[in-house]
Amino acid sequence: MLLPRLFCLALALALAACQPVPSWPERSNVGAEAPPGAPPGTCWGKKDTPAVIETVTEQVQLTPAETDASGQTLRPAAYATVTRQAILRERVTTWYETPCADLLTPEFIASVQRALAARGLYTGQITARFDARTRAAIARYQAPLGLESDTLSLDSARRLGLVATPISD
């Protein structure tokens, strides 16, 4: 009798620990590191675009053909097939400033969703969570601005009117 009660108690405690965790846009590469010279207290995202590599196979002449004085071929040229990797485009790392986690309240996230919905980019419910639809809308908003990322940049937040733009002196 005591064993089933202990099992139920353990199960209840395990389920209670499974509370939803806020879904922030940061991933392991956002906010954890910053580009060289970044001001303290700023948060950054990093987008790595992989290199584009092509496999090239070509015939390479090892020895030229040997001919006699009359032009008759004594021995044909020798060739080998060589395969190599060619880098068509180098790897590119793009750093961009992001809103820091303390700004990413449910109210702010809901404002992001409303701002994207007003521009026809977000069609989901206002959930105040960075879910897949919100991330896709952020990516659609930022792509024409030159940032291929579903993590909200500080510049995009400013363009959406959600973060104050500093006044330059």
Side-chain angles (χ1 to χ4, degrees), residues 55-138:
T55 301
V56 178
T57 302
E58 57 191 354
Q59 294 289 314
V60 178
Q61 185 178 21
L62 298 176
T63 58
E66 288 183 30
T67 57
D68 62 15
S70 66
Q72 190 142 18
T73 303
L74 299 174
R75 187 171 9 162
Y79 292 90
T81 302
V82 177
T83 302
R84 62 181 171 82
Q85 300 288 314
I87 298 175
L88 300 179
R89 187 182 69 219
E90 294 286 336
R91 176 178 179 231
V92 176
T93 299
T94 305
W95 288 96
Y96 56 96
E97 195 170 359
T98 62
C100 291
D102 60 340
L103 181 63
L104 303 175
T105 63
E107 293 80 17
F108 179 81
I109 298 167
S111 294
V112 169
Q113 291 172 329
R114 284 191 292 274
L116 293 168
R119 289 159 178 82
L121 298 169
Y122 179 75
T123 57
Q125 301 242 340
I126 305 302
T127 61
R129 288 182 297 156
F130 277 111
D131 54 16
R133 281 188 172 176
T134 306
R135 288 184 181 284
I138 290 169

